[in-house]
Amino acid sequence: MSSKELFAVVTIAVAGATGYIGGRLVPLLLASGADVRVLSRRRDKLRDVPWRSQVEILEGSMEDADTAAALCRGADIVYYLVHSMSGGTGAAWDFERVERRCALNLARASRDAGTTRLIYLSGLHPQGRLSRHLASRTEVGEILLASGTPTAVLQAGLVIGSGSASFEMVRHLTDVLPVMPAPKWVMNSIQPIAIRDALHYLVGAAQLPAGLNRTFDIGGPEVLSYAEMMRSYADAAGFRRPLVIPLPVLTPWLAAQWVNLVTPVPRSLAVPLVESLQHDCVARERDIAAYIPEPDGGLTTYGRAVELALHKIAADTVETTWATAHALSAPAEPLPSDPDWAGLTVFTDERTKTTPAPASQVWAVVEGIGGANGYYSLPFAWAVRGWLDKVAGGVGLARGRRSHQHLQLNDAVDWWRVETLEQGRLLRLRAEMIVPGRAWLEFEVTPAEPEDGGAGGSVFRQRAIFFPRGLTGRLYWLAVLPFHGIIFKDMANRITAAASRRP
């Protein structure tokens, strides 16, 4: 029986649908024909996902026994993708107790509801003493295996994809630090798995033989050290390989503080993740292959998984949204339910001005920007920056523009290129100057709503966007930030003022 034929007659519940794994699993289950019920602590976290109208949504916490019962009621299969590491702060945060209670609630609810299969994603771990994070994951798996409901516990290593906390640690550490002091266990063995492969096994687990109750180790085709992962990431991202210097004096706690300082991964996640890296995390068996065949083309190598995770960035996309997407075609890419700290670092300077001038007059000023008209703020500073760019081998400001008043898509405007043009509303310029990263300057003009200042006026929005490249890019942004505070504020004020003076 094919997955579509099987899933067409089952109801699947997913706890943790707003998490990194759950947000990517749900559309795959829907595409296979299943009726899907999802649980989220906050319903509004699912506001922008494209499949929101196709699922039944429960709001609540697995800490509540009634919520667990509602999740399992009528469900043939329940995916349990919940963790509580980020639910609190401080060393006193007892996430083990919370996870134990949630697991016991699920065990009881699934047994009472007659659920035929539980599927839980845990972590690869060695024998012996474990970190708090891995020990808690292991305990949850043991509770579910003892529940009386047939359970498949898939034990995965670091999951590689944009938005995964493990991958974001690799990404930001490598992007920022050309020389990296690290704990000695940065040389421990790790078996990462691409997000697409983890999803492949999760979907396949729904078709495991009835009554099968056990753990399965899952991992990618390579065993690497964390240092090798960072070097391979640098190769895929086009950076120079970092120099990793293992230091025996860095305790897990100190290393976690360092990760929290250098990366956007919150401390509540950084601490347990870093503690877990003290151990080798390698699959000890490959029994899953007897039940679920490998994906077409085989398991994804780490280097390929990184390339897939970086795909959106390589496409020069300034803003991406899944709100208009019809299906999840690339699970390594960002989702609107991913945490705010996930993805490539981006710096912005945003200005909004309301003006009594009609939108058409503001747009006329915007469309005439650059060339002889200049940029409406500190012309000497723009001239100096253009001269420096020219000396460095860039295009400078000498190109000017084709027309003083009108623009077309792909027109050159000094050191900019017209990337997006929606006449009367939106202009996005992509920088072609020499800069350690990628930059855009965006202008939007919309008629003012009554609450914005009355009929006849308009709202002008201006946004500078910068994706830094490595440490140099971040230092560049910090160096020019004081000037941006003057230049971009003055630009927004003078553009709206010029619009008001137009006949």
Side-chain angles (χ1 to χ4, degrees), residues 310-322:
L310 296 175
H311 173 72
K312 266 294 180 190
I313 299 160
D316 277 355
T317 302
V318 176
E319 53 189 6
T320 58
T321 176
W322 285 83

Side-chain angles (χ1 to χ4, degrees), residues 29 72 186 258 309:
L29 300 176
C72 294
V186 77
W258 176 242

Side-chain angles (χ1 to χ4, degrees), residues 61-385:
S61 167
M62 290 297 293
E63 294 180 71
D64 176 52
D66 291 338
T67 298
L71 179 73
C72 294
R73 191 174 299 121
D76 303 285
I77 300 168
V78 176
Y79 283 89
Y80 189 61
L81 307 172
V82 172
H83 71 76
S84 304
M85 287 190 301
S86 58
T89 59
W93 168 237
D94 190 1
F95 66 82
E96 298 102 321
R97 179 191 60 79
V98 173
E99 294 200 336
R100 185 182 307 115
R101 179 176 178 180
C102 292
L104 290 169
N105 285 341
L106 175 61
R108 185 179 307 110
S110 66
R111 184 173 57 249
D112 293 345
T115 300
T116 59
R117 162 88 40 216
L118 295 177
I119 301 171
Y120 172 56
L121 184 64
S122 185
L124 283 177
H125 58 272
Q127 300 286 1
R129 185 176 180 180
L130 302 176
S131 68
R132 290 177 63 198
H133 164 51
L134 286 177
S136 179
R137 287 291 181 94
T138 302
E139 182 187 19
V140 168
E142 291 170 348
I143 291 171
L144 299 183
L145 287 167
S147 66
T149 302
T151 298
V153 178
L154 304 186
Q155 300 179 149
L158 301 186
V159 178
I160 305 304
S162 182
S164 159
S166 304
F167 175 74
E168 297 301 335
M169 283 175 56
V170 173
R171 182 212 295 269
H172 290 283
L173 285 171
T174 311
D175 283 358
V176 173
L177 299 176
V179 178
M180 193 176 308
K184 61 181 180 180
W185 39 261
V186 77
M187 306 308 294
N188 286 354
S189 296
I190 302 170
Q191 192 167 356
I193 185 170
I195 176 61
R196 56 172 52 195
D197 294 342
L199 292 170
H200 170 80
Y201 286 122
L202 283 167
V203 173
Q207 300 184 61
L208 290 171
L212 188 67
N213 191 66
R214 57 162 294 179
T215 63
F216 291 98
D217 288 354
I218 61 174
E222 302 153 296
V223 175
L224 306 166
S225 69
Y226 206 78
E228 288 173 328
M229 289 174 60
M230 289 186 283
R231 295 182 186 120
S232 184
Y233 170 88
D235 292 342
F239 289 115
R240 179 178 296 176
R241 287 187 164 200
L243 176 61
V244 180
I245 305 174
L247 299 176
V249 296
L250 273 180
T251 66
W253 185 87
L254 285 174
Q257 311 315 308
W258 176 242
V259 169
N260 186 53
L261 177 65
V262 176
T263 81
V265 177
R267 185 182 179 278
S268 58
L269 282 177
V271 171
L273 286 174
V274 168
E275 287 177 346
S276 300
L277 293 176
Q278 296 175 83
H279 311 285
D280 289 339
C281 291
V282 178
R284 291 171 291 172
E285 45 86 4
R286 289 289 303 162
D287 296 352
I288 194 73
Y291 300 94
I292 304 173
E294 290 185 355
D296 293 341
L299 294 170
T300 308
T301 64
Y302 174 73
R304 177 61 177 155
V306 172
E307 290 174 353
L308 290 168
L310 296 175
H311 173 72
K312 266 294 180 190
I313 299 160
D316 277 355
T317 302
V318 176
E319 53 189 6
T320 58
T321 176
W322 285 83
T324 56
H326 298 290
L328 182 63
S329 58
E333 294 177 359
L335 287 178
S337 56
D338 285 347
D340 293 339
W341 46 261
L344 190 68
T345 297
V346 57
F347 298 120
T348 60
D349 182 287
E350 301 188 32
R351 311 281 172 173
T352 300
K353 293 281 294 182
T354 301
T355 173
S360 58
Q361 290 183 197
V362 180
W363 178 257
V365 177
V366 167
E367 194 175 7
I369 200 166
N373 294 325
Y375 294 88
Y376 295 90
S377 65
L378 300 182
F380 178 73
W382 285 91
V384 169
R385 182 63 179 88

Side-chain angles (χ1 to χ4, degrees), residues 433-450:
M433 70 186 89
I434 293 178
V435 63
R438 294 178 292 127
W440 290 263
L441 186 58
E442 181 181 87
F443 305 95
E444 183 182 28
V445 183
T446 56
E449 298 293 334

